[in-house]
Amino acid sequence: LIPMGIRVGTPALTSRGFKEEQFDLVAEYLHQGMQLGLQVQKEVDSPKLIDFLDRLTKDEKFTTQLQQLKAKVEELATQFPMPGTIF
């Protein structure tokens, strides 16, 4: 698993009300996710995606980091509802 780039749909985020501060957080969360992936990749001897995912989802040191990052992303996302939704 070798990421070559990420395309972020900024119009979708600005439609939800994201400002510069939130875009900084999005960039930080992307960076944290990539760093986590690189850590997992260093410990997996196989180039197979299934082995990467197995380590990521079953090794407690990685699952903890992944859950923490997921919580941060969900906390940010839930502050900005999708356009057209009524809560």
Side-chain angles (χ1 to χ4, degrees), residues 4-56:
M4 302 303 281
I6 295 175
R7 181 170 186 232
V8 178
T10 56
L13 298 178
T14 56
S15 295
R16 291 179 71 173
F18 278 48
K19 303 289 185 205
E20 186 176 343
E21 177 183 333
Q22 288 79 35
F23 278 99
D24 288 342
L25 287 172
V26 169
E28 177 59 30
Y29 297 158
L30 287 169
H31 177 73
Q32 288 177 23
M34 286 186 277
Q35 293 302 311
L36 178 58
L38 289 170
Q39 289 174 13
V40 174
Q41 196 172 36
K42 283 182 184 177
E43 293 195 17
V44 176
D45 295 329
S46 167
K48 295 180 182 177
L49 178 59
I50 193 153
D51 296 328
F52 175 90
L53 293 174
D54 189 57
R55 179 65 61 94
L56 177 65

Side-chain angles (χ1 to χ4, degrees), residues 35-87:
Q35 293 302 311
L36 178 58
L38 289 170
Q39 289 174 13
V40 174
Q41 196 172 36
K42 283 182 184 177
E43 293 195 17
V44 176
D45 295 329
S46 167
K48 295 180 182 177
L49 178 59
I50 193 153
D51 296 328
F52 175 90
L53 293 174
D54 189 57
R55 179 65 61 94
L56 177 65
T57 59
K58 294 181 181 169
D59 186 322
E60 187 175 337
K61 70 179 173 184
F62 296 130
T63 58
T64 301
Q65 291 179 63
L66 185 60
Q67 290 301 319
Q68 290 172 345
L69 180 56
K70 179 183 176 185
K72 290 178 192 178
V73 170
E74 288 176 347
E75 180 182 352
L76 175 63
T78 56
Q79 295 175 39
F80 299 90
M82 294 292 289
T85 58
I86 300 173
F87 292 100

